[in-house]
Amino acid sequence: MSFRRACVIGHPVAHSRSPLIHKHWLNELHIDGDYLRHDVPPDQIAAFLRNFSASGFVGANVTVPHKEAAFRALNQADPVATHLKAANTLWLENGDLHGMNTDVYGFLAHLDESAPDWNQRDNAAVVLGAGGAARAIVYALKERGIPKIHVVNRTVPRAEAIAAEFGKNVVASGWGDLPKRLREASLLVNATSLGMTGQPPLEIDVKPLPSTATVYDIVYVPLETALLAAARKRGLRTVDGLGMLLHQAVPGFEKWFGVRPQVSGTLRAVLLQDLGAKARA
Ligand code: NAP
């Protein structure tokens, strides 16, 4: 295979860990290729994507704030991107721009791997947040047949919009209802930016959760969030955010470089070292 280049596009994009992931796989699999960061300001994204076939890249990951613009630029989209109207993985096929959304896949792959029986109980799930990540997670949980999904958000109309979009077993709430919602939940997911380094803390009491519940925080900086620490202290099963980031990268790499890579302990260690180094910096 000839030399190939892919990239991550976003604004800003300097924080993205995607190059670390894809360069690790390129090295590990002895593939002649590269993966770069490409900062595209919002006023240039439409033109950049329109001319993507002339960019020299075989494909791209897309991060904030361009996932919706990327979807609008596609000639072909997979069913998940079509539903979410947001694409995070792009590739070229016969000059056409194709795209998919792998956040749903990444979220579920890591949950299945970390807590294989998470879906065996006929209980509800509680999703904190109503942004782009929360929508992808509600899609994932619906796809797995979770009978009731509570979307809890500061701005209740955003949670209500998700409930309206996904149907009657998705219920919107404000933070005041959280203790009641937690009592019947077998899965709690934090999909807000609270608890992330530089953001306000996520201050919730995990006591009402049943002792069999799983707590998943998709924030991965820091990796051990206060939510996960509190859940672990209570003896609950916990799932961190790093695995979602690693798994969502797999389908794109396979499209661009022709080999399906593995999310290994070695890759996780590479990312952990980088996150640790950044935390100490
Ligand atoms: P987003 O669209 O900006 O949504 C942010 C969410 O956080 C909204 O629900 C917002 O509530 C809530 N929020 C922010 N500040 C708040 C505050 N002070 N008090 C209460 N709620 C607050 O962001 P996103 O793209 O969904 O991402 C959310 C988080 O997930 C980020 O930390 C991101 O890094 C992480 N993430 C991780 C992965 C992974 O692979 N692990 C993938 C995607 C995203 P309002 O609606 O009220 O503003």
Side-chain angles (χ1 to χ4, degrees), residues 25-46:
W25 284 330
L26 287 168
N27 281 334
E28 183 179 68
L29 296 163
H30 307 291
I31 291 172
D32 192 18
D34 203 0
Y35 185 100
L36 309 169
R37 289 186 181 88
H38 197 68
D39 194 314
V40 184
D43 62 346
Q44 292 170 28
I45 188 67

Side-chain angles (χ1 to χ4, degrees), residues 17 197 221-223 272-281:
R17 261 76 182 197
T197 303
V221 187
L223 191 64
L272 282 176
Q273 194 181 23
D274 182 68
L275 292 172
K278 291 275 170 11
R280 286 191 297 275

